[in-house]
Amino acid sequence: MMGCFRSGTNFAKSLLESNYECKIKNHVFGWKHGFLPIMSEDSNAEYKFIFDTAFFITKNPFSLLVSLFNYHNEVQRNLIAPNVFSDFLRSKLIVHDQAQANSVQLRFSSPVDYWNAMNWNYASHKDFVHVRYESLVEYPEVITKKLADKLDLSPKEAAFFVPEKKVKRTNDNDKLTSKEDYMTEQNFDRSAYMKNQYMKNFSAEDIALVASELDRELIEKLGYTPLMQELYKDY
């Protein structure tokens, strides 16, 4: 599983592992928040990724920008960027793995460039299955089942579980033995998300800026054009 920071990877992990017989591995392809690499034939590294059991998750760009900014200010890890939202949208973004002392850095001209570049990379591989976070939130059981069927997973014999609270940030080494282990104590208002209340963070100028920087070919490919038209009347 791969995806941008705050794209919903932990939510997808909690749904799959709580309801199906599986263990989701984040770093099989490298860093789960990094690019799919390009390997040459004479490279020392081997490209043996099995895309039949792999997927990437996206969050719509406006929602992702708010989540990314909140993560930057609240957690203060892995991102180098301004701490004021309007400045954040208009400045370069540096991404790195703070868990590694000598992590290399990825530079993007803006957070929108980050959304474009990362998701273009993931979507460019024809066998990499795409899951939209919005669909998981609105139809968790249906979308999770579709994904589980693709991954050939067996369901657990219990009522379908959907986290009622915000999920924890997890990694492959965490011991998650109960459904409660996936959740924080913070409430998650699913209806607020589905009503696009994250848009309150943007001024009219911010919205126009984001829309102007988005790659419309990618938006269409990922199935976000109708939502973008709903969120920005001039899209």
Side-chain angles (χ1 to χ4, degrees):
M1 174 176 60
M2 299 184 77
C4 295
F5 271 113
R6 314 313 299 154
S7 60
T9 54
N10 291 315
F11 184 61
K13 176 183 175 74
S14 69
L15 287 172
L16 283 167
E17 291 187 348
S18 297
N19 296 293
Y20 290 86
E21 300 293 346
C22 67
K23 180 67 176 177
I24 302 300
K25 294 294 185 181
N26 293 325
H27 304 305
V28 175
F29 292 178
W31 193 34
K32 76 168 181 176
H33 298 306
F35 288 111
L36 283 175
I38 298 175
M39 300 290 192
S40 62
E41 291 184 358
D42 57 352
S43 172
N44 289 330
E46 293 184 287
Y47 202 112
K48 292 185 176 180
F49 303 156
I50 303 174
F51 284 90
D52 287 346
T53 56
F55 66 97
F56 72 100
I57 185 166
T58 64
K59 185 179 283 186
N60 85 70
F62 286 104
S63 173
L64 189 281
L65 292 172
V66 173
S67 295
L68 198 64
F69 177 74
N70 290 339
Y71 172 82
H72 174 50
N73 279 301
E74 294 168 7
V75 182
Q76 299 182 3
R77 288 179 59 86
N78 304 310
L79 305 177
I80 302 173
N83 296 101
V84 176
F85 189 61
S86 60
D87 296 336
F88 176 80
L89 295 177
R90 293 165 173 80
S91 300
K92 68 182 179 184
L93 176 69
I94 305 298
V95 177
H96 62 114
D97 183 2
Q98 198 161 324
Q100 299 185 45
N102 298 308
S103 171
V104 298
Q105 298 181 343
L106 302 176
R107 181 199 183 279
F108 304 91
S109 60
S110 70
V112 178
D113 181 40
Y114 171 68
W115 191 93
N116 286 335
M118 298 302 300
N119 291 316
W120 184 281
N121 173 259
Y122 301 145
S124 67
H125 197 293
K126 63 181 180 64
D127 296 323
F128 211 7
V129 171
H130 171 223
V131 178
R132 286 190 297 273
Y133 174 76
E134 294 75 20
S135 298
L136 272 182
V137 170
E138 189 168 4
Y139 309 108
E141 186 168 1
V142 172
I143 300 301
T144 304
K145 184 181 185 304
K146 287 183 178 180
L147 181 57
D149 288 346
K150 189 269 176 185
L151 301 177
D152 196 24
L153 303 178
S154 300
K156 294 182 178 180
E157 295 182 358
F160 192 86
F161 169 76
V162 179
E164 297 178 353
K165 298 181 181 294
K166 292 183 178 180
V167 295
K168 295 178 180 177
R169 297 185 300 275
T170 61
N171 59 52
D172 290 350
N173 296 321
D174 289 340
K175 302 296 183 182
L176 304 169
T177 58
S178 70
K179 294 174 181 177
E180 288 71 25
D181 289 340
Y182 291 92
M183 297 186 292
T184 68
E185 295 300 319
Q186 297 177 286
N187 290 325
F188 174 59
D189 188 347
R190 187 172 70 161
S191 64
Y193 185 85
M194 292 167 58
K195 293 176 182 177
N196 307 323
Q197 291 192 9
Y198 47 82
M199 294 301 292
K200 294 178 180 179
N201 294 272
F202 297 87
S203 67
E205 292 77 13
D206 292 339
I207 295 173
L209 172 72
V210 171
S212 70
E213 293 185 1
L214 286 171
D215 187 307
R216 297 199 176 203
E217 181 181 348
L218 180 62
I219 289 288
E220 179 68 22
K221 186 173 186 177
L222 297 179
Y224 282 121
T225 298
L227 179 59
M228 292 301 100
Q229 293 171 338
E230 176 186 345
L231 299 179
Y232 180 48
K233 62 181 179 62
D234 294 325
Y235 185 81

